[in-house]
Amino acid sequence: MTTSRSTRPLSNDRPTRRILRIALALGALGALVAVAIVVVPLLRPPGPRPLFQLPVACGETWQLGTYPGHDDYDVDLFPAEGEAWGRPVLASYAGTVTVAGINGSLGGRTPQDPDGPRGRGGGYWVKIDHGGRWETQYLHLLEPPLVRVGQEVAQGEQIGKLGSTGNSGAPHLHYEQRRGWEKVETHFDGEPSGITTDDREYTVRRTSNNCAGG
Ligand SMILES: [Zn+2]
C-alpha cells in the first residue's frame, strides 16, 4: 500500500505553502463573488415598466417637447399656463435617489436674471432608481435638489424646483426615462408620450395624473 499525501510527514515549508494556496483560492473566490454581485444585476432583464406619472403637480397641463439635436426620447417640459420658474418638480414614481447634485456647471440663469450666463450640462439634477433597472432623471433645477442621495422618495414627492441651470435656454424641466442602459420613450399614466425622435421640433400636451400626493 502506498502512502497517501495526507499521511506523509510534512516538511517545514509545507504549511506556509498550503496557507498561501488557501489564501489565493479565497482571494480568487472573493473576486468572483464581487464580480457576480456587480455584473449579475446588470445582466438581469429589466422589470416591468413602473406606472410613471408626469413629474409635475396633479391636474396641471404641460407642454412636452423636443428639438433637433436634443436626443431621441428626451423631453423638455414647459407649463401650459403660469410662471415656469420655481414650479415643483415631483418624483414620477417611488424610488431611491441615486444622484442629487450638479452636472456640468450651473451658469447664472435665475428668475432675476433669466438671460444670465448659460451653464454647461444638466445643472442641478436628480436621478431616481425605481428598481427593476428603471430610472428617471430631472435636469436644470433652479436650486440644490430637495432630496439627497440614498433617500427613498414616494411618487409625487417634490424633489426640486424648476429652473434653468446648466445648458438651458429658458426655464424648463429636461426629463428622461431609462430602462437598463438605454433611454426609452417616456410613458405617463400608462400612455406613451409620442416623443420618440429629435429629427424635428414638435410638442404634445399632457395633463398630470401625479396625484398620489407624495
Ligand atoms: Zn432638454
Side-chain angles (χ1 to χ4, degrees):
M1 188 175 162
T2 56
T3 55
S4 75
R5 257 184 100 172
S6 57
T7 58
R8 208 184 291 159
L10 298 167
S11 65
N12 276 343
D13 65 339
R14 282 221 159 178
T16 318
R17 268 201 220 149
R18 185 173 294 181
I19 287 165
L20 192 67
R21 233 181 282 137
I22 289 168
L24 281 173
L26 284 176
L29 189 69
L32 263 176
V33 168
V35 165
I37 286 170
V38 172
V39 171
V40 167
L42 297 176
L43 297 176
R44 222 170 26 209
R49 181 192 309 275
L51 188 59
F52 292 120
Q53 297 295 344
L54 277 182
V56 294
C58 172
E60 288 183 356
T61 298
W62 285 60
Q63 200 158 288
L64 285 57
T66 193
Y67 56 87
H70 199 202
D71 200 8
D72 291 345
Y73 305 127
D74 286 8
V75 176
D76 281 354
L77 287 111
F78 296 85
E81 285 174 4
E83 185 66 67
W85 290 107
R87 289 281 268 267
V89 174
L90 314 182
S92 273
Y93 193 76
T96 307
V97 176
T98 53
V99 174
I102 298 170
N103 174 268
S105 70
L106 296 175
R109 299 198 161 191
T110 62
Q112 295 74 35
D113 188 10
D115 297 318
R118 199 189 262 252
R120 285 178 291 107
Y124 284 125
W125 74 304
V126 170
K127 191 167 174 177
I128 302 175
D129 178 355
H130 303 286
R133 302 187 60 209
W134 284 88
E135 295 173 312
T136 52
Q137 48 191 59
Y138 313 75
L139 278 61
H140 310 308
L141 303 176
L142 177 61
E143 293 168 356
L146 301 172
V147 291
R148 55 187 161 67
V149 171
Q151 185 176 334
E152 305 279 328
V153 290
Q155 187 172 46
E157 188 170 336
Q158 186 175 359
I159 58 173
K161 295 178 184 174
L162 188 146
S164 198
T165 55
N167 184 12
S168 167
H172 75 286
L173 176 67
H174 174 108
Y175 174 88
E176 299 173 18
Q177 290 177 359
R178 289 166 179 261
R179 180 182 58 206
W181 283 287
E182 47 184 14
K183 293 182 197 183
V184 293
E185 181 181 2
T186 50
H187 281 55
F188 301 105
D189 205 25
E191 295 288 328
S193 69
I195 308 261
T196 56
T197 171
D198 70 346
D199 287 354
R200 63 198 167 83
E201 191 170 337
Y202 59 103
T203 60
V204 300
R205 281 162 79 97
R206 293 287 295 263
T207 299
S208 173
N209 194 23
N210 199 343
C211 304

